[in-house]
Amino acid sequence: MTLLFSSTMAFAAQLPPEATDAADAAVPHAHLQTSEWILLIAILVLAITICFFLIARRFRAMHAGMDHLTSMLQNRTEAMHELDEAKQAYKNLYDLALVAIFRSTIDGSRFLAINQTGARMFGYESAQEMLAMTFPRDVYHPPDKRTEMLRELELKGLVQNFSASFIRKDGSIFHAIFSSKLNREENYIEGTIQDITSLKLAEQRIGESRDYLQNVIDAIPIPVAVRDTTGIFTLANDEFASAVDIPKNQLIGKHSRELFPLSAVLLQEEYDRALLNAKGKATQRFEQHNPRANPPTTQLVYENVLLDSNGEVAGLVGAIIDITARKRMEEELRKAKERYRNILVNSLEGIFMATVDGRITAVNPAMAKLYGYNSPEEMIDSVRNLALEHWVHPEKRDQMLKDLIRTDHLSGYEIEIRRRDGEHIWISLSIRAVRNDMGVLEAIEGIAVDVTEKKRSVQELSVRANTDPLTGLANRTHMEQSLEHMLAQAKRSQKNVGVLFIDLDKFKPINDTYGHEAGDTLLREVSSRLKVRLREADLAARMGGDEFVIILWDIRSVEDLYRVGRPLLEELNKPYTWEGRELRIGASIGGCIFPDHGNTPGELLRCADKAMYGIKQSGKNALHISPANDSCRIES
């Protein structure tokens, strides 16, 4: 302002006198001095300055107001943006909620709103589809469930956890928990629906499982009960309820102290404590004796830990078995064992008991001595399988077991054994089958007697009388006796007997070329091959020279005789070795069957010999079985 005033004053001083005079003339009757003009101009300048100041101030105020307005508009825009975001977030939460959120009219004429979860819960693709197609009063099952809900809603204004069933678009039913609030002023109901169908099914399955478990333990013929870790009964079967004389419905949910004498409960809790403190699975059993019962009883109690899914102890399951009778039997058995032990120890005959698989479980001193052991304990500890370790022919044990299973006892069953020191002796067994309650053979007990001397004497006489000294096969006399015996047995049992007559081909040239030693070696090898191919019930005999006879028990047909004869022929045709040389022979084999071809040993031998002779005439090294009409069919 000072600068403006100074400039004005300077301007006035520079005006020419003509200008001043003109000014004075322009203002009538105003004869002002220069100083007065300067004052007037100063006042005018001041007024203009004040005006400018006021205008600038007003302008600044207007500018500040505009800034404030702009700020307010910006804040409003931001607030609207945040509001939109909040509305979108709410809508997302609304649509993605795990429960149905709805609003409907009180009269059930229409849904005012429902979220996407609710639409899918009722089987619709979208909320819009459900709002257009569905009426609230039509989705309840049964319909009167809505009436019940409205009654409670009118009474309280609020319904929480109301159990109801609803109908989906496709007509299926689902179970849900319903919570709602009544808004009377605006005439609507709003609330949530949570689908609990899977929970209902799970509860149903749990109930069915519990019923099944109850039926299972009710079928158990011994008392069984389950208690939680605090001692409260959670499950019990009929036998347990009967044993304690308390109905099941009065047992479940009760503590042992509420049901039984305190002294018995305290003792039981002492046993339980060990299991409850266990880490992981644990089992215990103990006996309880009741001398006050009439008659006195003894019970065996089994208890097991029940673990939850986390491996923590969740309870105890127990079972009770009355073992009074068993205890009585054990005592009687103890006395019987004592008597048996006295007999066992003092007997001069070997007495033993063994399992079916051959393991010795009991022997007396005489039995241990018989097998070469110093004591029964040493024999029991050393022998794992009696037949495999000591029988000369362990395979005979299988047949012995079959006979024992069939007859339950065997007497005079002779076997050759090998004692601990390697000596071979013969013993005679008298054994009895020991069966379990199901009738299954589970043990063998019996007596063993040394019959070595007797057996050797009989064997020596029998060998001399019945055996071919070169081959060890039966001789002609023994063969005829055996055949006669087998025919008599076959007549009684209606069985067939087969006879094969064998004559070796090309044997004489070998015997003549290499000498009798080679011939004898060849005959012994032939005998060995024949014996390997025969069963225990069959017989091989040497008739003399290079002729042999095979007697076959229980041959059912000519075809069966061929099936036996062919492998024999193949075996005899295989090469033989003598002193590094390969020797080959053949065999002509004729055969016949009792009773088709004869009833006596003589008739059968003649028929088989005739069939064999037919082979010799037709080319040798073949097998022929005589048919019933005595015609010959040659097969090589």
Side-chain angles (χ1 to χ4, degrees), residues 141-157:
H141 178 77
D144 56 4
K145 199 68 176 177
R146 185 174 189 276
T147 304
E148 180 184 345
M149 181 274 297
L150 287 175
R151 191 181 303 116
E152 186 173 344
L153 197 59
E154 289 286 351
L155 180 64
K156 301 179 181 178

mmCIF file of all heavy atoms in Angstrom, residues 141-157:
data_model
loop_
_atom_site.group_PDB
_atom_site.id
_atom_site.type_symbol
_atom_site.label_atom_id
_atom_site.label_comp_id
_atom_site.label_asym_id
_atom_site.label_seq_id
_atom_site.Cartn_x
_atom_site.Cartn_y
_atom_site.Cartn_z
ATOM 1 N N HIS A 141 -40.819 -80.368 5.297
ATOM 2 C CA HIS A 141 -41.265 -81.762 5.293
ATOM 3 C C HIS A 141 -41.247 -82.312 6.730
ATOM 4 O O HIS A 141 -40.182 -82.388 7.346
ATOM 5 C CB HIS A 141 -40.347 -82.621 4.423
ATOM 6 C CG HIS A 141 -40.739 -84.077 4.420
ATOM 7 N ND1 HIS A 141 -41.794 -84.556 3.686
ATOM 8 C CD2 HIS A 141 -40.214 -85.142 5.084
ATOM 9 C CE1 HIS A 141 -41.898 -85.854 3.876
ATOM 10 N NE2 HIS A 141 -40.949 -86.242 4.718
ATOM 11 N N PRO A 142 -42.447 -82.635 7.263
ATOM 12 C CA PRO A 142 -43.773 -82.426 6.660
ATOM 13 C C PRO A 142 -44.175 -80.966 6.749
ATOM 14 O O PRO A 142 -43.558 -80.189 7.482
ATOM 15 C CB PRO A 142 -44.661 -83.327 7.508
ATOM 16 C CG PRO A 142 -43.977 -83.368 8.831
ATOM 17 C CD PRO A 142 -42.508 -83.306 8.558
ATOM 18 N N PRO A 143 -45.256 -80.569 6.038
ATOM 19 C CA PRO A 143 -45.640 -79.152 6.007
ATOM 20 C C PRO A 143 -45.964 -78.569 7.374
ATOM 21 O O PRO A 143 -45.718 -77.373 7.608
ATOM 22 C CB PRO A 143 -46.873 -79.148 5.091
ATOM 23 C CG PRO A 143 -46.709 -80.361 4.228
ATOM 24 C CD PRO A 143 -46.063 -81.386 5.095
ATOM 25 N N ASP A 144 -46.518 -79.388 8.263
ATOM 26 C CA ASP A 144 -46.880 -78.847 9.581
ATOM 27 C C ASP A 144 -45.655 -78.485 10.425
ATOM 28 O O ASP A 144 -45.777 -77.865 11.484
ATOM 29 C CB ASP A 144 -47.771 -79.826 10.349
ATOM 30 C CG ASP A 144 -47.129 -81.190 10.505
ATOM 31 O OD1 ASP A 144 -45.968 -81.351 10.083
ATOM 32 O OD2 ASP A 144 -47.780 -82.110 11.033
ATOM 33 N N LYS A 145 -44.447 -78.840 9.944
ATOM 34 C CA LYS A 145 -43.236 -78.446 10.652
ATOM 35 C C LYS A 145 -43.073 -76.929 10.609
ATOM 36 O O LYS A 145 -42.584 -76.313 11.572
ATOM 37 C CB LYS A 145 -42.015 -79.128 10.014
ATOM 38 C CG LYS A 145 -40.793 -79.178 10.898
ATOM 39 C CD LYS A 145 -41.011 -80.102 12.088
ATOM 40 C CE LYS A 145 -39.746 -80.223 12.929
ATOM 41 N NZ LYS A 145 -39.965 -81.066 14.126
ATOM 42 N N ARG A 146 -43.510 -76.301 9.494
ATOM 43 C CA ARG A 146 -43.434 -74.835 9.416
ATOM 44 C C ARG A 146 -44.404 -74.195 10.386
ATOM 45 O O ARG A 146 -44.108 -73.167 11.012
ATOM 46 C CB ARG A 146 -43.723 -74.369 7.977
ATOM 47 C CG ARG A 146 -43.526 -72.865 7.808
ATOM 48 C CD ARG A 146 -43.675 -72.455 6.344
ATOM 49 N NE ARG A 146 -43.266 -71.070 6.174
ATOM 50 C CZ ARG A 146 -44.060 -70.021 6.400
ATOM 51 N NH1 ARG A 146 -45.314 -70.208 6.783
ATOM 52 N NH2 ARG A 146 -43.610 -68.793 6.235
ATOM 53 N N THR A 147 -45.572 -74.799 10.525
ATOM 54 C CA THR A 147 -46.557 -74.276 11.484
ATOM 55 C C THR A 147 -45.983 -74.314 12.899
ATOM 56 O O THR A 147 -46.134 -73.355 13.677
ATOM 57 C CB THR A 147 -47.837 -75.113 11.414
ATOM 58 O OG1 THR A 147 -48.322 -75.127 10.067
ATOM 59 C CG2 THR A 147 -48.907 -74.541 12.330
ATOM 60 N N GLU A 148 -45.312 -75.404 13.220
ATOM 61 C CA GLU A 148 -44.688 -75.523 14.539
ATOM 62 C C GLU A 148 -43.611 -74.465 14.733
ATOM 63 O O GLU A 148 -43.493 -73.850 15.804
ATOM 64 C CB GLU A 148 -44.082 -76.926 14.672
ATOM 65 C CG GLU A 148 -43.403 -77.186 16.003
ATOM 66 C CD GLU A 148 -42.730 -78.545 16.040
ATOM 67 O OE1 GLU A 148 -43.027 -79.397 15.167
ATOM 68 O OE2 GLU A 148 -41.892 -78.748 16.950
ATOM 69 N N MET A 149 -42.810 -74.225 13.683
ATOM 70 C CA MET A 149 -41.767 -73.203 13.763
ATOM 71 C C MET A 149 -42.366 -71.817 13.945
ATOM 72 O O MET A 149 -41.901 -71.010 14.768
ATOM 73 C CB MET A 149 -40.911 -73.275 12.489
ATOM 74 C CG MET A 149 -39.752 -72.274 12.431
ATOM 75 S SD MET A 149 -40.197 -70.648 11.795
ATOM 76 C CE MET A 149 -40.696 -71.065 10.131
ATOM 77 N N LEU A 150 -43.425 -71.488 13.186
ATOM 78 C CA LEU A 150 -44.062 -70.169 13.303
ATOM 79 C C LEU A 150 -44.662 -69.955 14.681
ATOM 80 O O LEU A 150 -44.621 -68.847 15.229
ATOM 81 C CB LEU A 150 -45.140 -70.029 12.222
ATOM 82 C CG LEU A 150 -44.630 -69.826 10.796
ATOM 83 C CD1 LEU A 150 -45.810 -69.832 9.819
ATOM 84 C CD2 LEU A 150 -43.864 -68.509 10.687
ATOM 85 N N ARG A 151 -45.230 -71.022 15.244
ATOM 86 C CA ARG A 151 -45.810 -70.912 16.579
ATOM 87 C C ARG A 151 -44.746 -70.523 17.599
ATOM 88 O O ARG A 151 -44.941 -69.631 18.435
ATOM 89 C CB ARG A 151 -46.470 -72.237 16.965
ATOM 90 C CG ARG A 151 -47.324 -72.160 18.228
ATOM 91 C CD ARG A 151 -47.926 -73.515 18.559
ATOM 92 N NE ARG A 151 -48.716 -74.060 17.466
ATOM 93 C CZ ARG A 151 -48.420 -75.164 16.803
ATOM 94 N NH1 ARG A 151 -47.326 -75.837 17.133
ATOM 95 N NH2 ARG A 151 -49.175 -75.588 15.822
ATOM 96 N N GLU A 152 -43.592 -71.193 17.522
ATOM 97 C CA GLU A 152 -42.506 -70.867 18.442
ATOM 98 C C GLU A 152 -41.929 -69.492 18.146
ATOM 99 O O GLU A 152 -41.559 -68.733 19.056
ATOM 100 C CB GLU A 152 -41.409 -71.936 18.330
ATOM 101 C CG GLU A 152 -40.299 -71.785 19.347
ATOM 102 C CD GLU A 152 -39.325 -72.939 19.329
ATOM 103 O OE1 GLU A 152 -39.658 -73.994 18.745
ATOM 104 O OE2 GLU A 152 -38.229 -72.784 19.909
ATOM 105 N N LEU A 153 -41.892 -69.116 16.850
ATOM 106 C CA LEU A 153 -41.371 -67.810 16.467
ATOM 107 C C LEU A 153 -42.285 -66.684 16.961
ATOM 108 O O LEU A 153 -41.819 -65.638 17.433
ATOM 109 C CB LEU A 153 -41.212 -67.752 14.945
ATOM 110 C CG LEU A 153 -40.336 -66.645 14.366
ATOM 111 C CD1 LEU A 153 -38.927 -66.749 14.926
ATOM 112 C CD2 LEU A 153 -40.296 -66.742 12.846
ATOM 113 N N GLU A 154 -43.593 -66.870 16.852
ATOM 114 C CA GLU A 154 -44.550 -65.864 17.335
ATOM 115 C C GLU A 154 -44.444 -65.731 18.849
ATOM 116 O O GLU A 154 -44.601 -64.634 19.407
ATOM 117 C CB GLU A 154 -45.975 -66.285 16.941
ATOM 118 C CG GLU A 154 -46.271 -66.174 15.460
ATOM 119 C CD GLU A 154 -46.459 -64.727 15.019
ATOM 120 O OE1 GLU A 154 -46.532 -63.848 15.900
ATOM 121 O OE2 GLU A 154 -46.511 -64.495 13.802
ATOM 122 N N LEU A 155 -44.160 -66.851 19.510
ATOM 123 C CA LEU A 155 -44.115 -66.831 20.969
ATOM 124 C C LEU A 155 -42.847 -66.158 21.486
ATOM 125 O O LEU A 155 -42.899 -65.347 22.416
ATOM 126 C CB LEU A 155 -44.209 -68.269 21.504
ATOM 127 C CG LEU A 155 -44.186 -68.451 23.016
ATOM 128 C CD1 LEU A 155 -45.417 -67.781 23.650
ATOM 129 C CD2 LEU A 155 -44.162 -69.937 23.378
ATOM 130 N N LYS A 156 -41.708 -66.446 20.861
ATOM 131 C CA LYS A 156 -40.421 -65.971 21.375
ATOM 132 C C LYS A 156 -39.790 -64.877 20.518
ATOM 133 O O LYS A 156 -38.898 -64.168 20.980
ATOM 134 C CB LYS A 156 -39.434 -67.139 21.488
ATOM 135 C CG LYS A 156 -39.903 -68.250 22.404
ATOM 136 C CD LYS A 156 -38.871 -69.376 22.433
ATOM 137 C CE LYS A 156 -39.321 -70.515 23.328
ATOM 138 N NZ LYS A 156 -38.353 -71.630 23.326
ATOM 139 N N GLY A 157 -40.215 -64.761 19.262
ATOM 140 C CA GLY A 157 -39.596 -63.809 18.365
ATOM 141 C C GLY A 157 -38.274 -64.283 17.797
ATOM 142 O O GLY A 157 -37.700 -63.654 16.913
#
